[in-house]
Amino acid sequence: MKLNEGEIGRTYLVRNVTTDAAVTRRLEALGVNEMTPVTVLNKKGSGSVIFKVRGTRLAVGRRISDGITVEEMGFIPGTKGNARNEGVPESEGTKGGSRDGGQYK
């Protein structure tokens, strides 16, 4: 499916990027590569999409979002729960400690 066909809030794996060579190189420099998880944050009726990739929010228009082929993520071994955890390894979560610099319990 194309990136602009994805549901808001869902995470997908990039399967292929087929746009102009210069645009493809720029997307790759921004981290939009094959097998990279992306989360759709917002969509507009015109086909433009705001998505999150590698901790960065990107906005692209319809021409570019049509060139990004994605697939739904399934369970990823070594992660907490399922694909909606965006592939966070078990060792990278909070372990009962607070986020304000407190010690782990």
Side-chain angles (χ1 to χ4, degrees):
M1 88 172 68
K2 305 295 182 187
L3 180 62
N4 60 17
E5 297 171 349
E7 293 179 34
I8 294 173
R10 303 277 317 251
T11 300
Y12 300 92
L13 277 181
V14 175
R15 276 317 205 176
N16 194 11
V17 179
T18 53
T19 59
D20 299 338
V23 174
T24 299
R25 281 193 307 272
R26 181 65 177 147
L27 288 172
E28 287 175 352
L30 293 168
V32 183
N33 302 312
E34 290 182 14
M35 300 305 294
T36 302
V38 296
T39 303
V40 177
L41 300 176
N42 202 352
K43 298 188 325 180
K44 301 292 180 187
S46 62
S48 59
V49 179
I50 299 171
F51 63 100
K52 184 175 179 180
V53 60
R54 300 182 188 261
T56 302
R57 290 175 15 160
L58 298 176
V60 295
R62 179 177 198 97
R63 184 175 61 89
I64 295 174
S65 66
D66 274 343
I68 301 173
T69 306
V70 297
E71 72 177 23
E72 290 191 47
M73 288 181 62
F75 175 75
I76 301 173
T79 61
K80 293 187 256 179
N82 59 31
R84 290 184 186 238
N85 290 324
E86 297 186 39
V88 177
E90 292 182 43
S91 61
E92 291 184 11
T94 57
K95 296 186 179 172
S98 66
R99 291 181 174 249
D100 61 356
Q103 294 293 322
Y104 291 131
K105 296 182 179 184

